[in-house]
Amino acid sequence: MARDEEELFAPKKTPARHELGQPLDALSVDELSERIALLRAEIARLEAARENKSASRTAADAFFRKPS
C-alpha cells in the first residue's frame, strides 16, 4: 500500500479527551501537554459561564430589590 493510501484509510485520530482520575502512565509528553491545554481551555470556558451567570443574578437582584 502506498503512503497516500495509508493516510487515506488510516483511522482518524479522535480529539484528546480527558476523564478525571484517568491513568496517565500510557500518555506521552505531547499527549499530556494536549490534555493540559484542553483542561485550561475548559477552565476558561467554565469561568466565563460563571461570570455571566453572576452578572445575570446581580442584574436580577437589582431589578427586584425593594426600594428603601
Side-chain angles (χ1 to χ4, degrees), residues 8-59:
L8 181 63
F9 295 110
K12 303 281 187 222
K13 183 177 181 182
T14 58
R17 183 167 171 250
H18 186 77
E19 294 179 23
L20 297 178
Q22 176 182 14
L24 305 175
D25 299 345
L27 298 176
S28 69
V29 172
D30 288 339
E31 289 171 321
L32 289 169
S33 296
E34 287 176 17
R35 302 289 172 93
I36 290 168
L38 178 72
L39 290 169
R40 285 186 176 147
E42 183 64 6
I43 289 168
R45 189 178 77 90
L46 290 166
E47 288 174 338
R50 180 179 61 186
E51 289 175 18
N52 287 340
K53 286 186 180 277
S54 180
S56 294
R57 173 122 189 217
T58 300

